[in-house]
Amino acid sequence: MRTAKTAPIAAVSLLALGGCDVLSATIGDESELPGDIEVAVQNQTTDCSQYPEKRYFLEAQGWWVPIPGLEDAVNDFGHLHVGTCFPVEQQVSGTLDFDVRVILHDNPGELRAIRPHFATPGGNPTSGKISNIGNTCPAGETCTWWFHTQMDTTLSDYDGRQEIRFLTSVAEPDGQELHVSTGWQVDIRNGGGREVKDYRRANFLEARGWYEGVNYEVGRLASEFPFDPKTEWAPKLEIKPGADGIATTGHQVTIDPRFHVGDPGRVLIEGDGEYRGTIDLPVAELEPGPHKLVLRNFADCRNGACGSVNDGQRLVSMFLIPFTVAGDTTASQPASTDPAPTPTDPAPAPTDPAPAPTDPAPAGGTTVLPVSADTFVRGGSYSMENYGTSNTLSVKDGSDNYDRETYIRFDIAGLSAANVTLRLDVRRLSNGAPVPMEVCLAAESFGWIETMLTFADRFTQCTPIAGTLVEATGTLDIDLGRSLAELGTNQVTLILRDTTRENKMIDISSRETGVGPQLILQ
């Protein structure tokens, strides 16, 4: 095996967007520097057409956020994004140029370093390390920087499939670090009579998030990358712990989300624990052109699983995979993977599938909007139970062991209405009637999953906007007394509850029955 070479060293320019400072850093090993040479960032967009080989913009993300509704969560460190135009499985040789985009979104930490390195049968040689960066982002803002670096493929002692990793680290205010790392393959062909040995199997791409105590959590594409425009696509996916990672507590796969503005995209699957399987994407139902498939891995720190100082925190790892739906000859990449410049909620948890799109209510007309997610939670010894697949939504205020609250969410992006009515199908009244019920507008519209929400981690901050006495079964209409714009812009969550402690219960049909809650827009 050859001794690893020292990578070329250069000063690298950083382009700061979103109101952040223009800074500089050094790339290369942290060994003695032979001299500084200015290297301009060549490609400051996600369009990858300027490179000599075919490339695709891939992105990995790591979030360190509170578990929704848990009072013992103390830190919300936002997001770290790392992406670059990558020559997926292309034959490469010599020196490769990379323009790496790093984003801090609502993250109070300090961007320390980016370590591009090869994962090979003979070790992990580093090439083009960007160190001593020191970038920070103002509170509540999104900052974007581009870094240019070069990687010398001859540092690998082998030809064949090799993995390139861009390990990026941010030092957070609690003294720990948030890392994002990639696992993307190229086919190195430098020749020279060296042994040809593949490091990974074919069809292997993954993104990894890491936090001290949690360790690695990954999302993986385990089948062929979507090189060509698709008329159908059924990728094999894995969402699971990585090296020494704690148990994955939740997963989500979605298309074209914009989480920074509360848009979950088209959610294909989500649920508890790991996911390993093949998903038949609804390609025929998508617009021709570029799209993103996003894999999300949720690892929750509870009961000291990540160290007691991390209890109540959640590591979210994400992998953004571009693909193109056939029919558009002008695009081969998603138009942009940039976050919205003015973020709202960090949306630490995924949301649920949106119903079929509904056109805005015409003037003088009526639109019936079905619920997009619904569940109820139950207190006491049932506080860790989830009822997201139940046919029933329940409301009750009795002893602590029997309290029940219902959570319902509607996707309202692009809709408008002067008058909004909540329609419910009341299935059963228990322990006498009438039963008082309050409708409360939740402060958090996006941070819950119907198949994961429990009484223990529910959120309760909300504003009462309507109340009624439920006197009979059947259809119940409740005038919310507000325009749609007063309820929200993208999504709205309503909490149904009883605060009288009369030990009476209302059972309402959930969306699983086909007659779930609706908003009547006029």
Side-chain angles (χ1 to χ4, degrees):
M1 182 179 299
R2 297 181 299 114
T3 302
K5 300 178 183 178
T6 300
I9 312 298
V12 62
S13 300
L14 285 71
L15 175 65
L17 305 177
C20 301
D21 296 332
V22 177
L23 304 171
S24 62
T26 301
I27 71 173
D29 294 333
E30 292 181 298
S31 54
E32 185 177 38
L33 307 184
D36 288 345
I37 304 172
E38 282 298 319
V39 178
V41 178
Q42 297 178 359
N43 183 15
Q44 299 170 9
T45 74
T46 57
D47 173 21
C48 299
S49 62
Q50 301 178 38
Y51 295 92
E53 62 281 305
K54 183 66 174 177
R55 298 198 184 193
Y56 302 83
F57 192 86
L58 306 181
E59 184 174 83
Q61 297 183 17
W63 303 9
W64 187 242
V65 292
I67 299 172
L70 292 193
E71 296 180 358
D72 52 351
V74 295
N75 296 319
D76 188 345
F77 294 158
H79 312 169
L80 166 63
H81 305 210
V82 180
T84 192
C85 289
F86 193 82
V88 179
E89 298 183 14
Q90 300 294 301
Q91 288 192 3
V92 297
S93 61
T95 299
L96 296 177
D97 286 283
F98 286 100
D99 296 295
V100 182
R101 187 183 73 180
V102 178
I103 296 172
L104 292 184
H105 163 65
D106 202 17
N107 191 319
E110 177 184 315
L111 178 61
R112 290 285 180 84
I114 306 170
R115 181 189 169 215
H117 60 284
F118 299 97
T120 78
N124 300 323
T126 297
S127 180
K129 182 175 181 179
I130 308 170
S131 58
N132 304 319
I133 298 175
N135 289 28
T136 58
C137 190
E141 293 192 14
T142 298
C143 293
T144 302
W145 299 279
W146 288 90
F147 301 83
H148 181 78
T149 189
Q150 295 178 323
M151 298 189 70
D152 181 3
T153 64
T154 65
L155 291 177
S156 170
D157 290 284
Y158 298 94
D159 280 357
R161 263 195 317 275
Q162 314 286 307
E163 185 178 319
I164 292 181
R165 300 174 178 174
F166 292 89
L167 175 62
T168 305
S169 60
V170 170
E172 301 292 4
D174 64 355
Q176 303 183 88
E177 290 194 351
L178 172 63
H179 293 176
V180 167
S181 181
T182 68
W184 304 335
Q185 292 196 113
V186 293
D187 184 5
I188 295 178
R189 295 292 166 180
N190 284 308
R194 289 170 293 177
E195 177 186 0
V196 176
K197 187 174 182 180
D198 295 330
Y199 176 67
R200 295 277 195 189
R201 59 176 171 79
N203 301 329
F204 177 99
L205 292 170
E206 73 177 27
R208 312 172 180 112
W210 182 96
Y211 206 85
E212 187 171 337
V214 185
N215 299 321
Y216 282 109
E217 301 292 327
V218 306
R220 177 183 297 174
L221 175 63
S223 57
E224 185 179 18
F225 185 81
F227 295 105
D228 302 316
K230 298 296 182 182
T231 56
E232 57 183 21
W233 186 32
K236 182 180 179 181
L237 308 175
E238 299 177 8
I239 301 173
K240 62 181 186 177
D244 299 319
I246 68 167
T248 296
T249 51
H251 62 269
Q252 183 194 54
V253 179
T254 183
I255 297 175
D256 297 334
R258 295 185 303 152
F259 294 116
H260 291 166
V261 295
D263 179 3
R266 180 166 182 165
V267 178
L268 303 179
I269 61 165
E270 61 185 356
D272 297 338
E274 303 178 20
Y275 177 80
R276 302 167 190 250
T278 299
I279 298 179
D280 192 3
L281 266 64
V283 174
E285 301 173 18
L286 301 176
E287 291 292 326
H291 295 273
K292 295 190 297 289
L293 180 69
V294 179
L295 316 185
R296 303 180 87 195
N297 180 321
F298 300 86
D300 289 354
C301 296
R302 299 176 185 264
N303 304 317
C306 319
S308 59
V309 296
N310 289 334
D311 269 0
Q313 299 295 131
R314 167 177 285 171
L315 175 66
V316 185
S317 302
M318 290 177 56
F319 187 12
L320 282 68
I321 305 167
F323 69 99
T324 301
V325 174
D328 184 355
T329 60
T330 63
S332 60
Q333 293 285 325
S336 174
T337 55
D338 295 335
T342 307
T344 53
D345 253 339
T351 55
D352 301 284
T358 306
D359 293 331
T366 298
T367 295
V368 177
L369 182 65
V371 70
S372 60
D374 58 10
T375 188
F376 75 94
V377 297
R378 183 175 179 178
S381 60
Y382 302 90
S383 63
M384 298 300 294
E385 299 293 325
N386 171 263
Y387 301 94
T389 59
S390 172
N391 288 335
T392 301
L393 306 170
S394 296
V395 176
K396 184 177 182 179
D397 189 12
S399 67
D400 291 340
N401 204 49
Y402 297 103
D403 282 350
R404 294 168 174 85
E405 296 174 353
T406 284
Y407 288 70
I408 55 178
R409 182 170 56 235
F410 296 91
D411 296 306
I412 60 174
L415 302 178
S416 61
N419 301 301
V420 183
T421 298
L422 174 64
R423 177 167 292 172
L424 306 172
D425 177 51
V426 178
R427 303 179 65 179
R428 185 184 305 108
L429 298 175
S430 302
N431 299 335
V435 185
M437 185 172 68
E438 179 181 80
V439 181
C440 204
L441 177 62
E444 302 180 47
S445 292
F446 314 109
W448 60 281
I449 318 172
E450 68 174 7
T451 55
M452 294 180 67
L453 187 69
T454 68
F455 193 91
D457 61 13
R458 78 198 192 286
F459 52 94
T460 58
Q461 185 178 357
C462 63
T463 302
I465 59 173
T468 189
L469 288 174
V470 184
E471 300 180 302
T473 58
T475 300
L476 173 65
D477 285 351
I478 306 172
D479 183 359
L480 299 185
R482 300 191 180 198
S483 69
L484 197 62
E486 292 175 298
L487 297 178
T489 56
N490 292 289
Q491 292 185 337
V492 56
T493 290
L494 301 175
I495 303 175
L496 309 182
R497 61 190 187 183
D498 176 13
T499 59
T500 64
R501 300 192 69 85
E502 292 185 4
N503 204 35
K504 297 179 179 180
M505 187 164 70
I506 311 166
D507 285 336
I508 301 163
S509 297
S510 73
R511 68 182 185 137
E512 280 73 13
T513 67
V515 287
Q518 301 171 331
L519 287 185
I520 310 301
L521 309 179
Q522 295 176 317

